[in-house]
Amino acid sequence: QLRLVESGGGLVQAGGSLRLSCTASGPSFSSYAMGWFRQAPGKEREFVAAISWSGGSTWYEDSVKGRFTISRDNAKNTAYLQMNSLQSEDTGVYYCAAGPKDGAIITVVRGSVDYWGQGTQVTVSS
């Protein structure tokens, strides 16, 4: 079983940058595709980005392409989301997700994950 803990959220002005981290505790982190999702006030949680277990494949929601970069360091059991050129529309709670074990990246993209973090707030002021 994995436990995921996000960090790095905060308040930033439009056009600024933040880097979110998701640190996992538990076995076999490198066997899980990882993803980031977000939930804006009054809206449903939506997919943002995903990365395969090896880091060789990534997938992005259209509105963040070219601005956000997902990466991972399996030696540190950590996944990252570098967010640049932030816009007010990026405001929300950002969640890290993992799984299923040995699953394909598309599974995470579709939201079929085994584990969720508790979320970290990102607020972009205009």
Side-chain angles (χ1 to χ4, degrees):
Q1 183 168 349
L2 287 185
R3 179 172 177 261
L4 306 177
V5 178
E6 301 98 333
S7 61
L11 174 64
V12 63
Q13 289 188 333
S17 298
L18 283 174
R19 187 175 83 154
L20 306 183
S21 297
C22 171
T23 301
S25 57
S28 305
F29 171 77
S30 60
S31 297
Y32 293 84
M34 300 293 296
W36 288 94
F37 294 74
R38 65 186 179 190
Q39 187 167 20
K43 295 187 178 181
E44 293 186 355
R45 187 155 52 187
E46 64 175 0
F47 167 76
V48 176
I51 188 166
S52 62
W53 64 269
S54 68
S57 297
T58 57
W59 202 306
Y60 296 94
E61 191 269 330
D62 285 347
S63 70
V64 308
K65 285 180 181 177
R67 300 189 298 123
F68 291 11
T69 302
I70 188 170
S71 62
R72 66 189 298 160
D73 185 337
N74 287 340
K76 295 183 177 180
N77 278 15
T78 302
Y80 304 97
L81 185 68
Q82 177 67 43
M83 305 186 294
N84 299 328
S85 302
L86 283 161
Q87 305 165 358
S88 57
E89 296 77 20
D90 296 317
T91 293
V93 178
Y94 281 69
Y95 297 90
C96 175
K101 189 172 183 292
D102 299 322
I105 186 175
I106 188 64
T107 305
V108 174
V109 173
R110 291 171 177 165
S112 297
V113 300
D114 284 355
Y115 303 105
W116 292 96
Q118 84 289 348
T120 185
Q121 177 70 45
V122 172
T123 303
V124 184
S125 63
S126 56

